[in-house]
Amino acid sequence: MLSTPRLITRCKNVDTSILTIIRTKRTKANKNSTGVSPQMQRVVTQLSVMSARKKQPKMLKLSNEDLIKHQTIETAWKIYQDKLQGQRTLRLKKQYFAVKEAMDTLKEVSPALFYEANVDESGKTFPMELRVPTDAPPREIWHYDYTLKTTET
């Protein structure tokens, strides 16, 4: 990765006073209307990318008492979030083992139903025959030329 001064010195005919002027927010309107050569625009883009990586949030300037309060609150929040995550994980484990037990029972009781319950349904679409109840009547009351699709076995 090149540092900023080396990057500018490698590009010929780069005026550094222009670099601060042309750094604008990019929008669709002014993306290509900067009036700067593509080489100059590449330099500006590379410089803005490098400076964006180094940006860090400002450190809070707190007294020792406020810093202790802040750390205590952050620690309590992390403990609370860990507790919630543990509860979610436990609930999901219980659900998983309940479903696993039900599927094992179904396999013992009726292997045919177990097989039907585990058929891959990827690519299956919602059937046209099934109508969803609504409050308003449909735009087309009756499909006069509707024919039922028959499956050949």
Side-chain angles (χ1 to χ4, degrees):
M1 181 61 57
L2 297 173
S3 65
T4 306
R6 285 186 59 204
L7 181 65
I8 293 174
T9 56
R10 286 187 63 195
C11 299
K12 296 178 182 174
N13 303 326
V14 174
D15 186 9
T16 56
S17 63
I18 296 174
L19 291 178
T20 57
I21 296 170
I22 60 173
R23 286 193 61 179
T24 60
K25 186 175 180 182
R26 287 188 181 190
T27 61
K28 289 184 180 179
N30 68 357
K31 187 174 182 181
N32 296 325
S33 64
T34 56
V36 181
S37 68
Q39 180 184 10
M40 179 67 77
Q41 191 60 41
R42 273 193 299 264
V43 170
V44 170
T45 304
Q46 289 174 352
L47 288 174
S48 64
V49 167
M50 285 191 300
S51 66
R53 280 192 209 127
K54 297 176 184 176
K55 290 181 181 173
Q56 299 247 342
K58 290 184 178 179
M59 289 292 292
L60 296 174
K61 295 180 182 177
L62 301 173
S63 64
N64 284 340
E65 182 180 336
D66 289 341
L67 184 62
I68 291 170
K69 287 179 184 177
H70 178 73
Q71 289 173 342
T72 304
I73 291 169
E74 278 192 348
T75 305
W77 179 252
K78 285 181 184 177
I79 291 170
Y80 174 71
Q81 291 296 321
D82 288 343
K83 182 179 175 184
L84 286 180
Q85 183 63 34
Q87 289 173 352
R88 286 188 204 113
T89 304
L90 183 63
R91 188 173 62 236
L92 285 174
K93 281 183 182 179
K94 284 181 181 179
Q95 287 177 355
Y96 173 78
F97 286 119
V99 169
K100 185 172 178 0
E101 183 181 344
M103 291 302 282
D104 290 341
T105 306
L106 182 63
K107 190 174 186 178
E108 291 172 7
V109 172
S110 175
L113 286 177
F114 176 78
Y115 173 76
E116 287 296 321
N118 289 305
V119 170
D120 185 24
E121 294 184 347
S122 59
K124 191 173 183 180
T125 58
F126 194 78
M128 278 287 291
E129 295 84 20
L130 187 63
R131 292 192 35 102
V132 178
T134 60
D135 293 334
R139 289 192 180 106
E140 186 178 338
I141 303 296
W142 190 261
H143 298 283
Y144 290 98
D145 50 342
Y146 175 77
T147 56
L148 182 64
K149 293 180 183 176
T150 58
T151 57
E152 296 178 17
T153 317

